[in-house]
Amino acid sequence: MKSSPLNYTLELMNERSCEIFRRIVESYLHDGDPVGSRNLSRSLSQSLSPATIRNVMSDLERLGLIYAPHISAGRMPTQSGLRFFIDAFMEISDLSPEERKSIEMQVHAAGSSQTVEQFLIEASQILSALSHGAGLVLTIKAEGLLKHIEFVQLDFRRALVVLVTQNGDVENRIIELPSGVTQIQLTEASNYLNTHIQGYNLNDARLEITHMRDQIRMELNELSRQLVEAGLAAWDSTNNDQPVRLIVHGRANLLKDIHAEQDLKRLRNLFNDLETRDSMIQLLDLVETGHGVRIFIGSENKLFSLSGSSLVVSPYRDAEQRVIGALGVIGPTRLNYARIVPMVDYTAQLISQLLR
C-alpha cells in the first residue's frame, strides 16, 4: 500500500531531524523569528554541534519543511512545514476545568442578550479576548415563518416585494418585471402566495410552490405565474444578495507583534478580504463538509488566501444538526494552534446548545 504524504515524510526523518524541526516550529510559533543553528544547539536534548544542525536543516529544506527568509538567517517553517507539524506532531491539550468554566460563564452571559445578533457579537468578543487574535463569527439570517407577501408596482419594469414574517420582521426587495405586467396581476400573484405560503419558512415555501407549479399554470395566467416564482426567488439563498453576516472583533490584536513590512502587507490584504461581503459564504463552504474544528493555513484558506493568514474555524448547528454559522479565530500563521483549537471547539459547542 502506498504511504500517505505525511507518513512518507515521517519515514524520511529520524529522531534527530524530528526534534530539530519541532524546535524550529515551536520557536516560530512563540516569537515569529527565524532560529539559527547556534541557538538550536543550546536548546536540544542531545548535544549536537552547529555544523551538524546545519546539515540537518539542509535536509529539512530539501523536504520543503523549512526555509531561510534571508541570506545567513536562521530557519522558519514553510506553509507545508506548518501543516506537517500540525498533522504529525502537535498535541491538542484539553481545556482545564477552570478554562471551561470561564468560557461557559461568558457564553451563557452573552446568551442573555435580547437578540441572536447581539449574542453572536458578544461571542466574537469572547473569542478575541481568549485567543488574543481576531474573533470571527459568521451567521446565516434565520428564516421566520411567513405571514404575508405583497407586490407593489414602482414603474413599468420594477416592483417592490414586501415580505412579512409571523414574528413581525419585514424585508423589502426590488424585482424586475416581465414586460406588460399590470398592478392587477401583481395583486393576483400576492393573493395566490398569501393563500399558500402562510406558516412556511422561505425555503419550504419555495419547495411547496415548485411542487404546485402545474396547478399554478392552471390557476394563474403566465405573467402572474412568473411573478409568483420571482417573488420567492428574490429571497433565494443562491443569489448574490445572501443573508449572511460576518462579525469580527479584535482586529487591533492583529496589529500586535508586527515584524516586517510583509506583515503589514498581509494585514492590508486581510482587512480587504474581511470587507468583501460576497466572499463570506465561502466560510460555510469550508466547514460544512467536516465535523469539529478545521485549521486552514495560508493558501489553504480560500477566503483569506491573499493575506497568508491562518483560520481556526468550527461550525455551529441547529437542533437538526444543520450548519447555521461558523465561528473561529483568524490571525498570522504563527497562531497558538494547540491552545486555540480546543477553545474554538468548546465555544462552538456551547453556542450550538444555546441557539437550539
Side-chain angles (χ1 to χ4, degrees), residues 91-321:
E91 298 178 359
I92 303 295
S93 57
D94 198 8
L95 297 172
S96 68
E98 293 77 15
E99 289 173 321
R100 285 176 173 265
K101 187 67 173 178
S102 174
I103 295 175
E104 287 174 11
M105 291 177 62
Q106 294 180 70
V107 171
H108 281 89
S112 63
S113 304
Q114 293 184 347
T115 66
V116 171
E117 182 170 310
Q118 183 59 40
F119 168 50
L120 294 173
I121 289 174
E122 294 186 30
S124 71
Q125 294 172 344
I126 292 170
L127 278 177
S128 174
L130 290 172
S131 66
H132 304 294
L136 174 149
V137 176
L138 180 74
T139 175
I140 299 177
K141 193 166 187 178
E143 290 189 346
L145 299 181
L146 300 175
K147 180 180 180 182
H148 182 77
I149 187 169
E150 185 172 352
F151 297 91
V152 179
Q153 191 163 14
L154 300 176
D155 53 46
F156 70 99
R157 292 308 305 269
R158 297 181 307 152
L160 176 69
V161 186
V162 182
L163 187 81
V164 182
T165 63
Q166 291 185 358
N167 62 8
D169 290 338
V170 178
E171 288 192 44
N172 300 311
R173 301 285 172 89
I174 294 176
I175 63 171
E176 296 292 323
L177 295 175
S179 178
V181 169
T182 66
Q183 183 59 53
I184 292 176
Q185 290 165 322
L186 290 172
T187 302
E188 185 180 6
S190 298
N191 292 339
Y192 183 89
L193 283 172
N194 288 324
T195 301
H196 292 92
I197 68 173
Q198 286 197 28
Y200 289 99
N201 63 32
L202 277 168
N203 186 57
D204 291 341
R206 281 191 291 268
L207 292 175
E208 180 68 12
I209 295 299
T210 299
H211 292 157
M212 299 173 64
R213 188 166 292 167
D214 291 339
Q215 184 178 349
I216 293 175
R217 289 194 177 99
M218 295 173 58
E219 296 186 17
L220 300 174
N221 63 41
E222 180 64 16
L223 288 177
S224 297
R225 182 186 64 79
Q226 292 179 36
L227 289 171
V228 167
E229 295 183 351
L232 290 179
W235 280 268
D236 193 326
S237 62
T238 61
N239 67 16
N240 292 327
D241 197 10
Q242 298 164 6
V244 175
R245 176 173 172 78
L246 179 72
I247 302 167
V248 181
H249 185 84
R251 295 189 189 188
N253 291 335
L254 299 176
L255 297 172
K256 298 176 181 177
D257 300 323
I258 291 179
H259 288 264
E261 173 62 27
Q262 64 183 20
D263 287 342
L264 285 173
K265 182 179 180 181
R266 175 186 62 79
L267 282 176
R268 283 194 291 268
N269 287 330
L270 174 58
F271 289 159
N272 288 336
D273 286 337
L274 289 172
E275 299 301 330
T276 307
R277 183 179 181 276
D278 291 343
S279 299
M280 293 303 102
I281 197 66
Q282 293 182 34
L283 267 182
L284 293 184
D285 295 336
L286 294 177
V287 300
E288 194 163 10
T289 56
H291 295 279
V293 179
R294 299 189 66 186
I295 301 172
F296 299 92
I297 302 170
S299 60
E300 296 177 351
N301 175 352
K302 299 176 185 177
L303 184 57
F304 304 124
S305 58
L306 292 179
S307 66
S309 301
S310 283
L311 175 67
V312 180
V313 63
S314 178
Y316 56 88
R317 303 171 184 270
D318 61 14
E320 285 73 41
Q321 291 302 301

